Amino acid sequence: STLSSHFARKDDLQREVFQRSVDMIIRRILGPKLKEGTPKQRFRQYVMNVAELFLSDLPEMKVLDREWQELDKPAALKRIARSSTDRSAVDSRRFIADLLASTGSDLLETIRAVQLSQMVFSTVYGIIKLRPLHRSAGGTSVSDATLTHNTVLMLERMLGI
């Protein structure tokens, strides 16, 4: 039997698929390497994990992309808002906020660590997803590894890490 046969409503199925995708992505971002090293090394690994996921062709990333592109639709916004309060999402935000706090960035004097972690995540997403636009406007084409490296360096310097 298929997953869709277990759900009476399409919205319930979409919510379940989205939640499973979020859970898998959180596990990949918060992999074992993220718990080792100095705060700077751990921050660098976090940004690399996020970038690698956004650059991947994983089905779970396609689910997230679709949902984020439909934020103007109440059902999609509700699914995303609901998933952001799930324990795994809250725990991951707290972990990343604690990681950022351990870096001693002076931005933490004016921006709360949880908000800063969301800004870092959104920045990486934007850089990766706007890459085709940069290329089509005559920008230099770079490899995934170079793009990831440059994103890490940019964020480290912006955050003063």
Side-chain angles (χ1 to χ4, degrees):
S1 107
T2 64
L3 183 61
S4 61
S5 66
H6 295 282
F7 296 93
R9 296 177 338 142
K10 180 180 176 183
D11 187 55
D12 293 337
L13 172 62
Q14 288 175 314
R15 182 174 51 247
E16 180 65 21
V17 168
F18 180 73
Q19 189 55 54
R20 286 182 185 192
S21 297
V22 167
D23 290 343
M24 187 285 304
I25 288 165
I26 288 170
R27 283 192 309 275
R28 299 231 10 206
I29 289 174
L30 301 180
K33 288 183 179 179
L34 204 57
K35 296 172 177 71
E36 302 169 359
T38 66
K40 183 175 183 170
Q41 291 168 330
R42 293 170 54 220
F43 175 77
R44 183 173 283 172
Q45 186 63 52
Y46 166 72
V47 174
M48 290 187 318
N49 290 356
V50 171
E52 287 170 5
L53 272 171
F54 289 153
L55 287 164
S56 76
D57 201 25
L58 292 171
E60 292 85 358
M61 289 310 302
K62 291 177 182 178
V63 169
L64 250 62
D65 280 342
R66 187 191 69 240
E67 292 294 322
W68 288 340
Q69 290 171 18
E70 296 183 351
L71 282 175
D72 59 329
K73 296 179 181 173
L77 182 60
K78 188 186 289 186
R79 270 191 299 279
I80 292 170
R82 191 178 307 124
S83 76
S84 69
T85 60
D86 288 341
R87 181 152 184 83
S88 61
V90 171
D91 289 348
S92 70
R93 281 195 307 275
R94 182 78 263 150
F95 180 85
I96 299 307
D98 290 345
L99 170 59
L100 279 168
S102 72
T103 67
S105 172
D106 62 352
L107 281 176
L108 295 166
E109 295 170 15
T110 53
I111 303 172
R112 291 185 353 244
V114 170
Q115 184 180 6
L116 189 56
S117 69
Q118 292 168 336
M119 293 168 79
V120 167
F121 186 85
S122 299
T123 299
V124 175
Y125 182 77
I127 289 169
I128 302 298
K129 294 304 171 181
L130 291 175
R131 181 185 194 185
L133 179 62
H134 173 73
R135 273 192 231 139
S136 71
T140 306
S141 181
V142 297
S143 69
D144 290 355
T146 299
L147 181 63
T148 300
H149 176 75
N150 291 346
T151 301
V152 169
L153 288 178
M154 179 198 73
L155 287 168
E156 285 177 346
R157 289 190 179 126
M158 288 175 70
L159 295 171
I161 298 173

